[in-house]
Amino acid sequence: MNTKKPPIPVSLLMLIGIVAISFSAIFIKWSQAPASIQGMYRLLFTSLLMFPFVRPYSGTISALRLKDWLLLIASGFMLALHFLLWMGSLEYTSVASSTMIMALEPVFIMIGSYILYKERSAVSAIAGLGVAIIGVVFIGWGDIGLSSDSLKGDLLSIFGTVAVAAHLLIGKKLVARMPSYLYSLIVFISAGAVFALYNWTAGIAFFDYPPREWGIFVLLAIVPTVFGHILFNWLLQYTSATTVSMNILGEPVGACILAYLLLRERLSGLQWSGGLLVLGGLACYLYMGSRKEAREAERGNRPSHELETLPESAS
């Protein structure tokens, strides 16, 4: 249990982070640039903001092994793939559908953790994720009634969620041996390089964009990334990983509200029902996860600092 307190109440900082990441899909919808360009500059500008503070980690960088570098590059590739698919999904489906589907990230992490690390989840937690999956089916069914493009967007969001789950599973292995700040910076640079290579081979223009687009690129780096995901990573020193992971539930709610106010997006009754099932199922899963974490901490089977170094997703 963490006893340190930040200079600002954790609850207020969590609210700031949830609002910040909820703007991610809004900025993407506002932009006319290709998703791969948005992703590249979001990562590039975020890396530039982080780079001045990397000096204390220079010793860790020199100690990284070849295997570590290969895993870092693999994590960066999966992060870039996540951005490409999820940001692309917003061209076809609503903000609400895409962000609610992306909230299924714990489902794929649970499956991957079992396959790679033999980690088992409680039956009640699995049941909660099952309810969330049913909710996604409802959302997809509601989108079928809108257009085939909406269903295409839902599928892109699902594949993007699989990609970010793979990114986090790789990160879980790496952050046990290196600071999460350094991990995030190297992975952002790697993912940005993947995007640059993709844009170059696809013949996508790097610079031919109006000032409005450059403003959106900067906003994507500062608001949902710095004041969202990097803030959540910083909060891990003050609260548990399970508490921080509740942003998974906050993002689709915040994104839905913002999409209604700023984009005039509306949902069908079936989509609302699916969204409630997704959020309810994930709440059950996270609640059971917090109980399991508390029991393991009491038994001393797993040090609390290991539970609190998992990197956040980057929507």
Side-chain angles (χ1 to χ4, degrees), residues 136-150:
V136 169
V137 173
F138 275 38
I139 293 171
W141 196 268
D143 278 342
I144 290 174
L146 297 177
S147 70
S148 58
D149 277 349
S150 294

Side-chain angles (χ1 to χ4, degrees), residues 237-250:
Q237 63 185 307
Y238 300 109
T239 188
S240 71
T242 301
T243 300
V244 172
S245 68
M246 289 299 288
N247 77 81
I248 294 172
L249 302 184

